[in-house]
Amino acid sequence: MTEDPMIAALLREREGYVQRGLDDRVAQVDEQLSLRGYKTSQNDSQTSEGPTGAGDRSTPPKGRRVARKATT
């Protein structure tokens, strides 16, 4: 992937637009990526993590605490 946090954020944003089929927004993000020196390709429209990969939102990010369940 990339070490630049701005490019990483733009790639996450782009992936959301690709999944929703917002081609005009994808093109806008691609323009911003190219201004920052990142070249997009057809493979960028697919994630390698998949629905159960590291991007799964049902698990907390590393280094974060899980909220305690309320007890009565």
Side-chain angles (χ1 to χ4, degrees), residues 13-30:
E13 180 180 358
R14 183 183 190 280
E15 181 58 31
Y17 293 145
V18 167
Q19 289 177 358
R20 288 183 280 171
L22 301 173
D23 295 334
D24 57 329
R25 297 288 184 146
V26 171
Q28 291 173 349
V29 174
D30 284 347

Side-chain angles (χ1 to χ4, degrees), residues 1-15:
M1 212 55 188
T2 180
E3 295 293 324
D4 184 354
M6 180 58 120
I7 291 177
L10 285 168
L11 290 172
R12 285 190 302 270
E13 180 180 358
R14 183 183 190 280
E15 181 58 31

Side-chain angles (χ1 to χ4, degrees), residues 41-71:
S41 66
Q42 293 291 18
N43 294 336
D44 288 338
S45 66
Q46 301 170 0
T47 60
S48 60
E49 295 173 349
T52 59
D56 187 9
R57 297 220 180 230
S58 64
T59 57
K62 292 180 182 177
R64 301 244 178 127
R65 297 183 192 175
V66 178
R68 293 187 201 174
K69 293 184 180 180
T71 58

